[in-house]
Amino acid sequence: MRHESCKVLVIGAGPGGYVCALRAAQAGMDTVVVEAVAPGGTCLNVGCIPSKALIHAADAFHSTAQMATDNPLGIRAAAPTIDLARTMAWKDGIVSRLTGGVKGLMAKARVRLVQGQARILDGKSVEVTTAEGPVRISTEHLVIATGSRPVELPGLPFGGDVLSSTDALALTAVPERLAVVGGGYIGLEIGTALAKLGARVTVVEAGPRILPQYDAELTRPVAARLKALGVEVLTGARATGHAAGVLAVETAEGKREVAADKVLVTVGRAPATQGFGLETLGLTMDGPFIAIDRRCRTSMREVYAIGDVTGEPMLAHRAMAQGELAAAVIAGGREDWDRRAIPAVCYTDPEIVTVGLLPGAAKGAAVATFRFAGNGRALSLGRDDGFVRVVHDSDSELILGLQAVGAGVAELAGEFALALEMAATLTDIAATIHAHPTLGETMQEAALKGLGRALHL
Ligand code: FAD
Ligand code: NAD
């Protein structure tokens, strides 16, 4: 058996693992990353990037289809068709460019990438099953960045016509009738895209509404758009099984049958903690996740954990920020998790952005809302649904949270996060000149409204 040693060993080359490895190597530490599938992890290969590529293609198809009907823009176009296999090949090209880029960055930083399945032997050694045979690697510091996996439902195991998100992102034909079980991030993002491509979609959601972690005001424009797209949403509903093109569903009103050629199950993701010897470390857990402190340290000395395996929110940018932090701590830095907010974007139609506290989450908080119906940019883009909402301390004017729902609002996430990170007040935002016409002016208007001096209301 081949033996290697290093200072930092990272298991998993997803956004958490590869960023940690890059930073560790840049700090001069001899670093190895072990990856079983492909650099970039879930996010680049079967998550964030391919789903956004599919959403973009679906939007382009859908707007072209609208141009084939009577439309206020006065454009006449022929009804489009789609070759989904070609769309997927285009998407795969984007994925390869990005994963190749990650590989290149790691090579440039002199991170050693070992391709294979890692098994933890103890806190200082790992055995990797590679194509060339087993490799034993000893390390001073171990970073666990194994990510997460889709949750399976007992009555709907993945396989055949029951799809995971990974399967849905590899479809080569649009299903005629699709049922989406779980109306959260993934189900709504992919379900909406497939509806725009022509599938008849039914969403089966156990909660009282879609995206139940958000308030009804924020999700209402998304629900309205789903309805306009012909998507049926069943809430308070659970799917129990699928056979012969029929999905069995239980609702408060009784049993229902939903016609579905394919069923996409998106009921959450579970941390990847099984099957690679993690239990040998006997780490303290936080429910199903690995418990960490504010410096990404686990309960065992010199063993760290980052990303989805450490809990919610399971987002790529959180994993990356933790990756940087863990590398800095290993390098002897004094940093700890001092971030004020982690933005979240849901790429539904319209998009939802949230940063910081939702209304009602803080005592003494007030809320100011400005609607896109009063924003020139939104109107000139042909969409006036949605709003920006500022949650602020009613005494100090300190901004505690920002939310938006509207077409294209994903790009406001950076400004929202910056406002919270810089401890901005309503006056700071109101006094910042926002370019005209932009969607961001709505944030300034909401701040002005919070100060009691709205301009365009
Ligand atoms: P992962 O990206 O899951 O990477 C873990 C890596 O570890 C994997 O490559 C795996 O192969 C490897 N691994 C695991 N065990 C072993 C082992 N024993 N040996 C060797 N290698 C191992 N997040 C966003 O922020 N924005 C989005 O738009 C977004 N969209 C998403 C869309 C979909 C369809 C999905 C499924 C997820 C999406 N996410 C999104 C979530 C995002 O992908 C994750 O939060 C992120 O990838 C977590 O990064 P990570 O490094 O913790 O783990
Ligand atoms: P999710 O937690 O967003 O949504 C799961 C939904 O399934 C919930 O609404 C839940 O009420 C519902 N549900 C649970 N059990 C059910 C059942 N038996 N029947 C019907 N409905 C049921 O999970 P997800 O959509 O699988 O996504 C997983 C994670 O991936 C997200 O939490 C997020 O962190 C990440 N993600 C992020 C993005 C993004 O940032 N744009 C996109 C996709 C995924």
Side-chain angles (χ1 to χ4, degrees):
M1 183 187 304
R2 209 172 88 215
H3 284 256
E4 287 190 27
S5 64
C6 60
K7 175 114 177 160
V8 182
L9 172 62
V10 184
I11 306 179
Y18 87 74
V19 167
C20 181
L22 283 180
R23 277 282 182 258
Q26 285 165 355
M29 297 185 282
D30 180 21
T31 304
V32 169
V33 180
V34 184
E35 172 53 54
V37 184
T42 303
C43 179
L44 262 56
N45 292 284
V46 292
C48 325
I49 300 301
S51 59
K52 272 70 226 181
L54 178 67
I55 290 166
H56 171 70
D59 284 345
F61 179 85
H62 182 68
S63 46
T64 311
Q66 285 187 317
M67 299 309 165
T69 61
D70 183 38
N71 65 84
L73 270 67
I75 301 173
R76 271 168 208 262
T81 59
I82 186 155
D83 172 356
L84 194 62
R86 186 156 177 197
T87 312
M88 291 298 176
W90 165 75
K91 175 264 298 178
D92 291 342
I94 298 167
V95 170
S96 316
R97 259 177 81 173
L98 290 171
T99 54
V102 168
K103 256 188 176 171
L105 288 172
M106 290 202 288
K108 196 170 133 202
R110 299 191 193 288
V111 172
R112 281 180 283 151
L113 173 64
V114 176
Q115 190 72 45
Q117 177 78 23
R119 192 165 60 84
I120 296 173
L121 303 177
D122 55 48
K124 299 282 176 203
S125 51
V126 159
E127 191 174 303
V128 188
T129 308
T130 73
E132 297 76 39
V135 181
R136 189 163 292 188
I137 310 174
S138 7
T139 183
E140 281 178 40
H141 302 269
L142 179 64
V143 182
I144 303 163
T146 47
S148 61
R149 301 200 175 98
V151 169
E152 227 168 347
L153 287 176
L156 291 165
F158 295 130
D161 292 328
V162 179
L163 314 177
S164 68
S165 56
T166 301
D167 303 324
L169 291 170
L171 284 170
T172 50
V174 179
E176 208 171 298
R177 300 164 308 174
L178 173 77
V180 176
V181 181
Y185 273 72
I186 302 180
L188 293 184
E189 287 188 1
I190 299 179
T192 304
L194 289 168
K196 286 181 178 174
L197 292 174
R200 261 174 45 213
V201 176
T202 306
V203 175
V204 178
E205 164 58 47
R209 60 173 174 271
I210 52 162
L211 293 165
Q213 69 269 45
Y214 299 134
D215 55 278
E217 192 188 20
L218 206 53
T219 53
R220 200 168 292 125
V222 178
R225 183 79 173 135
L226 287 172
K227 196 169 175 198
L229 288 168
V231 175
E232 189 183 9
V233 177
L234 308 177
T235 53
R238 284 176 188 273
T240 52
H242 179 251
V246 174
L247 182 73
V249 177
E250 284 176 1
T251 69
E253 292 78 43
K255 292 189 185 207
R256 253 192 86 156
E257 291 190 336
V258 172
D261 313 305
K262 302 274 182 203
V263 182
L264 169 60
V265 178
T266 51
V267 293
R269 293 181 61 86
T273 52
Q274 311 282 319
F276 63 99
L278 180 69
E279 59 288 348
T280 58
L281 302 182
L283 299 180
T284 302
M285 303 298 284
D286 176 10
F289 302 103
I290 300 177
I292 51 165
D293 67 6
R294 287 171 57 88
R295 313 187 78 206
C296 294
R297 293 179 303 190
T298 67
S299 56
M300 183 179 272
R301 247 182 109 235
E302 294 174 342
V303 177
Y304 302 76
I306 56 176
D308 284 8
V309 79
T310 65
E312 301 278 359
M314 291 198 219
L315 297 172
H317 40 282
R318 168 178 175 267
M320 291 189 216
Q322 288 181 319
E324 283 203 75
L325 173 60
V329 171
I330 295 169
R334 300 173 68 85
E335 290 88 338
D336 74 357
W337 186 265
D338 59 356
R339 313 300 172 94
R340 287 172 59 93
I342 303 171
V345 178
C346 192
Y347 289 81
T348 38
D349 183 0
E351 293 159 357
I352 294 179
V353 182
T354 63
V355 190
L357 299 182
L358 291 167
K363 259 194 172 173
V367 178
T369 301
F370 192 87
R371 300 203 161 267
F372 283 116
N375 176 268
R377 179 66 179 152
L379 293 183
S380 65
L381 290 171
R383 290 290 293 268
D384 67 351
D385 49 340
F387 55 84
V388 168
R389 195 169 68 183
V390 187
V391 181
H392 57 95
D393 186 275
S394 42
D395 294 330
S396 68
E397 292 179 15
L398 184 71
I399 294 178
L400 304 171
L402 280 154
Q403 298 91 39
V405 54
V409 297
E411 300 306 327
L412 297 182
E415 184 178 357
F416 284 8
L418 191 63
L420 259 86
E421 208 57 57
M422 304 285 289
T425 62
L426 291 178
T427 301
D428 293 327
I429 303 302
T432 302
I433 297 177
H434 283 68
H436 179 73
T438 59
L439 297 177
E441 287 174 283
T442 309
M443 178 183 180
Q444 189 182 14
E445 288 284 0
L448 282 166
K449 193 175 168 196
L451 292 166
R453 46 190 179 90
L455 195 57
H456 291 95
L457 262 185

